[in-house]
Structure formats: structure tokens, C-alpha cells
Amino acid sequence: MRYRRRRPDSVRSNPFPFSFPPASRDLSLALPVALAMAAAGCSSVPLKEAGTLSSYDNLGAPKGKLSKSRVYVDGTRLGTAKTVSIVPTTFAFSAATRVKSDADRVMVANALDRALCISLSDKYQLVSAGQPADLTIRSVVTDIVPTNKAMAGVSTVVTVGTGFMLPVGVPRLPAGLGGLAVEAEAVDRGGVQRAAIVWSRGANSLQNNPRVSEVGDAYSLASKFSSEFSSMLIKGKEPKGLDISLPSGQRMKSWLGGKPKYAACDAFGRPPGLMGAVAAKYGAPPQWTEKKPKPAATY
């Protein structure tokens, strides 16, 4: 009779041939937590009409998931326009009463108008407010959900702190998130509406850094609105899906705090550039790095 020699316990085959290195195990634990928190953390802001558009009749049905909107665009007439004037953004009474500081309201309005001015410079010549133009743009903030400053501070500590300990930083805590709602239109020299939008978006745990400011989320979402509305005006049609095109050279220069393509954009101040990006990462209020506009911008 033949006997099979038993191998020592130390060299027995591993019943679990595949094992994860420590870093991978941390990642496997961190990712589900991060994704669960991101899915749960999203502020909801309903679409709201403030009665400031010259017409709501042409607006389409509500669309979108992250950003919700109703839009109208006359691509044929927009295609013939050469010059654009931006009327400084105002606040509907109900939105203004939700923000304590007038300086904070001006900062959000400046951020929206500046982003719109820089983006539209890719196609149009921007002229100062009040000057004759083929298109005049008017925007009104119809609602603001204030950011909870205390929760934003806690979220910053948690997010930045876990980023040093885990391969993946834990997303922002799903509490105290802010939001923004805006309606805007572009009218021609005769006052006829050629494009319009009613838009809203809430901050979410994955995409919006917490900033210790009552308008921290509204400030960052203002540029989201401007990006969507300017894209619609430039392309002459309703944006579809995610825009992955690279920004133009003039946009990059302006976002880094450089001189804008057109002097009219200086009325809304210069972007805070890299300093602002670093401040946002570590939760600093946008007021710390926001540059004041020139006196030409009045509210």
C-alpha cells in the first residue's frame, strides 16, 4: 500500500489564494462608505419662477438630474449676434432675505456674472452694461439654500483628515448642504427674448467642497449655472450630456486671475485663481480670496 506524504502545515496550500495588500483592503472598505455617503448627500432645490423673465411661454419641460432646468433657445437668431452686454445679477426678494450679508449677495452675483462674461468671450464681444449690444443678458437669483457653516467646518476636517490616512478621502458629510436657483434670459436689441432658462441645483457630497461660509455652495454653483447657460448661448441649442471639451486659452488665463479678453469682464472682478482653488480644498470661505470688482460694477 502506498501512502501519500502529508505536507507540513506551514506549506499547505492557501485556501484563499487571492489576498489584498493592506492598501487595497483600506480602499475596498473606504470606497463603499464614500459612495454611500455621496449618494445620500445631495441638497434638493426646486425650480422657481420669480416673474422676472419677459416670457415663460417658450420654456420646455423640466429636465436634468444634478442640475434641473427649463430652457428656450432661438439658435438661428443667436447665430447672428456679435456683441453681448451683461446686466449685473440681482436677487429676488425671497432669495435676498435668506442671506444675511449684502456683501455675500454681491459676491455670489459677481461670481455668476464673471463666469458668464469669461465663458461668452469665446464667441461674443463683451461690452459694458448699458452699452448697445446685439444681446443683453439679465439674471436673477430666485432662491438660495444657505450652507450650514458649522457642518461645513466638520466636513472639511473629516474629508481632509481621512485623505491623509486612507487611499480615498471620505466625501463631504451629507448635512448642511446649500443650493442655488437662477432664472435668466438673453434679449435682442428689440427686447425680444432669444434664450431663457429657469435653473436650480443643490450641492452634493461628491462634487462640492465644503466651505465655511453661508454662501459657500451658492458661490461655487453660480459658476455651474453660468457654464450651462453660456454653453447654450454659444452653441445655439440646449446642452446635452456632459461637456468634456477643453477650455479655451482665454478662459484658462482668466480663471487663473489674468487679464480677461474684454475689459467689460473686469467689472465683475478677477477670479481668485490657484489661491482660490487651494482655499476651496481646505474649506476656507470664498471671501478670503475673492477679489473685489472695479467700481464700475454697481448693485
Side-chain angles (χ1 to χ4, degrees):
M1 181 180 295
R2 300 179 61 185
Y3 295 91
R4 298 179 62 185
R5 180 181 296 178
R6 294 182 60 189
R7 289 182 295 176
D9 290 344
S10 60
V11 295
R12 288 180 184 175
S13 60
N14 183 357
F16 304 99
F18 300 100
S19 60
F20 296 98
S24 297
R25 286 198 296 271
D26 289 341
L27 182 62
S28 65
L29 293 173
L31 279 176
V33 174
L35 293 175
M37 292 181 68
C42 183
S43 173
S44 178
V45 184
L47 292 174
K48 182 179 290 188
E49 296 180 8
T52 65
L53 299 184
S54 56
S55 174
Y56 293 84
D57 295 340
N58 297 320
L59 295 174
K63 294 182 180 179
K65 294 181 179 179
L66 288 177
S67 299
K68 298 183 287 290
S69 63
R70 298 178 60 205
V71 305
Y72 160 69
V73 56
D74 183 347
T76 301
R77 294 303 179 95
L78 289 176
T80 62
K82 302 296 182 183
T83 56
V84 170
S85 172
I86 298 175
V87 177
T89 291
T90 59
F91 278 68
F93 178 77
S94 59
T97 56
R98 304 195 71 181
V99 179
K100 299 175 184 177
S101 168
D102 180 63
D104 283 350
R105 291 193 292 271
V106 171
M107 183 178 66
V108 171
N110 270 334
L112 189 156
D113 293 330
R114 179 175 61 216
L116 197 58
C117 196
I118 292 172
S119 297
L120 290 176
S121 296
D122 279 349
K123 178 179 179 180
Y124 302 104
Q125 177 185 349
L126 274 295
V127 300
S128 300
Q131 297 297 313
D134 297 330
L135 294 174
T136 298
I137 297 175
R138 298 189 289 257
S139 304
V140 177
V141 174
T142 58
D143 196 12
I144 277 188
V145 178
T147 302
N148 185 301
K149 294 193 290 185
M151 287 305 304
V154 173
S155 294
T156 298
V157 172
V158 172
T159 301
V160 174
T162 55
F164 289 110
M165 296 182 292
L166 298 174
V168 177
V170 173
R172 177 180 179 177
L173 299 177
L177 303 172
L180 182 71
V182 185
E183 63 182 23
E185 66 180 353
V187 298
D188 64 16
R189 291 178 182 268
V192 178
Q193 185 184 81
R194 297 305 178 187
I197 185 170
V198 174
W199 180 97
S200 70
R201 180 164 176 164
N204 64 70
S205 296
L206 196 61
Q207 295 178 306
N208 302 103
N209 291 328
R211 305 194 69 169
V212 186
S213 167
E214 187 180 36
V215 294
D217 289 316
Y219 175 83
S220 63
L221 292 172
S223 62
K224 298 289 186 183
F225 162 79
S226 297
S227 177
E228 292 187 29
F229 190 40
S230 63
S231 176
M232 187 174 83
L233 295 174
I234 290 173
K235 296 178 180 178
K237 60 183 180 181
E238 182 179 348
K240 296 185 182 298
L242 181 65
D243 185 2
I244 58 174
S245 59
L246 294 175
S248 64
Q250 74 88 14
R251 279 203 208 189
M252 288 298 298
K253 179 183 176 182
S254 296
W255 288 132
L256 291 173
K259 183 178 180 180
K261 184 177 180 180
Y262 296 108
C265 296
D266 258 337
F268 309 114
R270 301 277 179 91
L274 293 178
M275 186 67 72
V278 172
K281 178 176 176 60
Y282 291 98
Q287 294 90 334
W288 287 12
T289 55
E290 179 68 16
K291 300 176 182 179
K292 294 182 179 180
K294 291 186 176 181
T298 57
Y299 294 84

